[in-house]
Amino acid sequence: MKEQGDLNDLCNLLHNCQMRRMKQRDDAFPHYHFRPPTNWINDPNGVIQWNGRYHLFYQHNPFGALWGNMHWGHAVSDDLVHWEHLPLALAPTEGDFDEYGCFSGGIVDNDGVPTMIYTGTQAAPLGAMPYTQHANIATSQDDLTTWQKFAGNPIIRPPHPKTLIGFRDHNVWRNGDHWLHIIGSGVQDVGPTAFLYRSDDLYEWEPLGKLYQNDGLYFGDEFVGSMWECPQLLDFGRKQALIIGASHNDSTVHTSYLIGTMVGDRFHPEAAYRLDYGNRYFYAAQSLIDDMGRTIMWGWIPEARDDELCVAAGWSGVMSLPCVVTLGEDDRLRFAVAEEVRQLRRERFGVEQLSAVQSDCFEIVAEFEGNERVEIGVRVSAENQERTTIFYDPESQTLGIDRSQSRRDGDGHDLSLLTGRISAENRLHLHIFVDASVIEVFANKVAVIIGRVYPDAEGLGVRLKSADAALHQFELWTLDSIWH
Ligand code: FRU
């Protein structure tokens, strides 16, 4: 135990030193969004509340700022906001079933034994998928800190590997006296697919066929891709939501959700919606249900700058803020950043004090008449040459993040416009989070846009353009860093 404690202290010391170095050299580094101090991070994995503490695992390359060598990183929090880095939880084993990488998965409580189900990947014979993917198990005896891989891995192999586009990512939950398990996949020339399995003990799995397979690339007007990454079924009682990472031609496209009902072993979707309109800037969502019964979701926010720039910066990827997900009466999901994040609030600015704001680390809570155009400029440079504009246009019912002026030199950066559709009807309620290069926008809790910007000037100003009469509420709070 002592050794483990020393290891954790060392981990945090290293983190703080690296953090100080990062801050000196990179204004894009977030202050209150979780990420490890250096290198690459992608999907949230195995999110779980264990003995009251929130555990966040994540896809991590400990050796570089680009994707590769997939390990599971690990952090823990008592309040969902401040995180403590813990030692790496999982590493690929050479010559074994996860030699090519330990991909995404989940953790469940198996009668007091923390049990992780993850995708092991291995170089495949020619002619098959570039690498084989299968389900593996590991358990922990020391409160989720170290993990022992099961000697009988893999526990599930792909059913018909030649026709599948991927077979990975695991959503496992207890259902009465057995376990259910969804695996993301796609069947070539047919459509994206979520496979369903059932088990009494988490080790022996019986295939139950397809939880749901979409016919083609679209559900109604919603593009759902050819393969689903990180599918997760959320149960809201009268309806269920299948959250999916829409992947196509090996690229992450966006995150959507299908609303429907489970009948026996099959999901019957009725409608599909975009979970986040920022395209690929929110991906691989994963949620836990905490002791208060809240469904709390995180997702991976990738960079919007070239690999070369990420390598130069020494890091890539950010975790989204913890978000509470509920089902609205209209059978669409509602997204609200967890209340705990309020504890970061430091100084309040009303609308009349806006010109005094100099910050890249704040939150805005505002409400407007739904029929007026609104523009909020953030990361605005002193001479206004650089700015990022969050806007709502009632005529086209468009919510957007305009990044075209977010930096003068666009080389190597994605400055494209991010837009979503929302009918604000009476009122438009905006909740906006700005954290160095990360922007999260929530409109009426229904439409979310997450994006990234990298101003090259200081860009600490905030501007508001809206008719006075249209403004019902506006407050800006500067926020503290989550790293002490
Ligand atoms: C989604 C994803 C998963 C996979 C992991 C690999 O971003 O591609 O499908 O398990 O990332 O890092």
Side-chain angles (χ1 to χ4, degrees), residues 42-43 59 67 70 103-104 168-169 229 283 300:
N42 57 299
D43 313 355
Q59 289 284 283
W67 185 89
M70 295 325 293
F103 284 14
S104 288
R168 59 178 181 270
D169 308 337
E229 297 183 294
Y283 201 69
W300 161 45

Side-chain angles (χ1 to χ4, degrees), residues 40-45 58-60 67-72 101-105 118-119 121 131 133 167-170 184 227-231 245 247 250 252 283-285 300:
W40 168 274
I41 175 175
N42 57 299
D43 313 355
N45 287 160
Y58 53 89
Q59 289 284 283
H60 180 46
W67 185 89
N69 300 303
M70 295 325 293
H71 288 56
W72 278 37
C102 301
F103 284 14
S104 288
Y118 70 99
T119 304
T121 61
Y131 41 83
Q133 305 174 352
F167 184 73
R168 59 178 181 270
D169 308 337
H170 309 272
M227 190 259 157
W228 283 342
E229 297 183 294
C230 306
S247 162
D250 257 342
T252 57
Y283 201 69
W300 161 45

Side-chain angles (χ1 to χ4, degrees), residues 127-139:
M129 288 189 291
Y131 41 83
T132 56
Q133 305 174 352
H134 27 233
N136 291 273
I137 248 184
T139 51

Side-chain angles (χ1 to χ4, degrees), residues 441-452:
V441 180
F442 298 81
N444 291 358
K445 295 188 179 172
V446 155
V448 186
I449 307 188
I450 295 182
R452 304 294 302 272

Side-chain angles (χ1 to χ4, degrees), residues 67-379:
W67 185 89
N69 300 303
M70 295 325 293
H71 288 56
W72 278 37
H74 183 194
V76 69
S77 170
D78 289 318
D79 63 3
L80 271 182
V81 175
H82 299 93
W83 295 93
E84 185 187 325
H85 291 287
L86 295 178
L88 289 170
L90 203 62
T93 305
E94 224 184 300
D96 215 333
F97 281 106
D98 58 13
E99 63 178 2
Y100 189 76
C102 301
F103 284 14
S104 288
I107 293 176
V108 292
D109 179 350
N110 185 16
D111 267 338
V113 181
T115 305
M116 168 194 287
I117 293 97
Y118 70 99
T119 304
T121 61
Q122 197 176 27
L126 282 176
M129 288 189 291
Y131 41 83
T132 56
Q133 305 174 352
H134 27 233
N136 291 273
I137 248 184
T139 51
S140 171
Q141 307 298 329
D142 58 1
D143 271 353
L144 296 79
T145 309
T146 58
W147 293 83
Q148 291 74 47
K149 296 175 188 172
F150 173 52
N153 281 332
I155 50 162
I156 305 177
R157 291 173 190 271
H160 31 85
K162 292 238 163 86
T163 61
L164 295 187
I165 317 166
F167 184 73
R168 59 178 181 270
D169 308 337
H170 309 272
N171 171 210
V172 180
W173 72 98
R174 186 95 197 149
N175 186 45
D177 60 354
H178 56 269
W179 297 94
L180 290 176
H181 179 172
I182 298 176
I183 302 181
S185 190
V187 178
Q188 260 159 29
D189 305 321
V190 181
T193 306
F195 285 105
L196 183 66
Y197 290 80
R198 177 195 155 111
S199 170
D200 292 333
D201 62 0
L202 288 174
Y203 289 82
E204 299 277 330
W205 291 92
E206 175 198 351
L208 296 182
K210 293 156 191 154
L211 174 94
Y212 176 66
Q213 177 169 60
N214 198 64
D215 182 14
L217 301 173
Y218 285 83
F219 184 99
D221 292 338
E222 181 67 1
F223 183 80
V224 291
S226 49
M227 190 259 157
W228 283 342
E229 297 183 294
C230 306
Q232 189 177 24
L233 191 72
L234 300 181
D235 185 9
F236 295 100
R238 69 191 155 82
K239 296 275 157 147
Q240 287 73 49
L242 182 65
I243 316 285
I244 53 113
S247 162
H248 190 51
N249 294 335
D250 257 342
S251 295
T252 57
V253 182
H254 54 230
T255 303
S256 307
Y257 64 94
L258 289 83
I259 289 284
T261 44
M262 279 299 290
V263 181
D265 299 331
R266 301 290 174 256
F267 179 65
H268 296 267
E270 293 147 15
Y273 302 101
R274 191 68 50 84
L275 197 152
D276 185 297
Y277 287 104
N279 304 330
R280 67 183 185 86
Y281 296 116
F282 176 87
Y283 201 69
Q286 198 180 87
S287 324
L288 57 77
I289 297 178
D290 77 351
D291 294 347
M292 288 184 254
R294 299 180 297 177
T295 300
I296 303 176
M297 177 181 280
W298 288 265
W300 161 45
I301 307 180
E303 299 303 310
R305 54 184 177 185
D306 279 1
D307 284 358
E308 240 172 72
L309 294 167
C310 292
V311 171
W315 63 277
S316 175
V318 174
M319 204 55 81
S320 65
L321 293 172
C323 190
V324 178
V325 186
T326 50
L327 181 69
E329 288 190 348
D330 57 357
D331 286 348
R332 285 187 65 168
L333 296 182
R334 298 289 187 277
F335 305 94
V337 167
E339 298 261 312
E340 283 90 332
V341 175
R342 284 187 189 196
Q343 67 190 274
L344 296 175
R345 288 178 177 180
R346 192 196 285 169
E347 201 182 344
R348 182 186 179 280
F349 292 81
V351 73
E352 55 300 327
Q353 294 130 8
L354 258 196
S355 54
V357 174
Q358 283 290 298
S359 178
D360 68 346
C361 185
F362 59 86
E363 144 190 30
I364 292 173
V365 183
E367 194 162 282
F368 304 89
E369 241 1 88
N371 56 2
E372 293 278 353
R373 187 177 167 90
V374 174
E375 288 183 17
I376 301 176
V378 297
R379 307 291 334 250

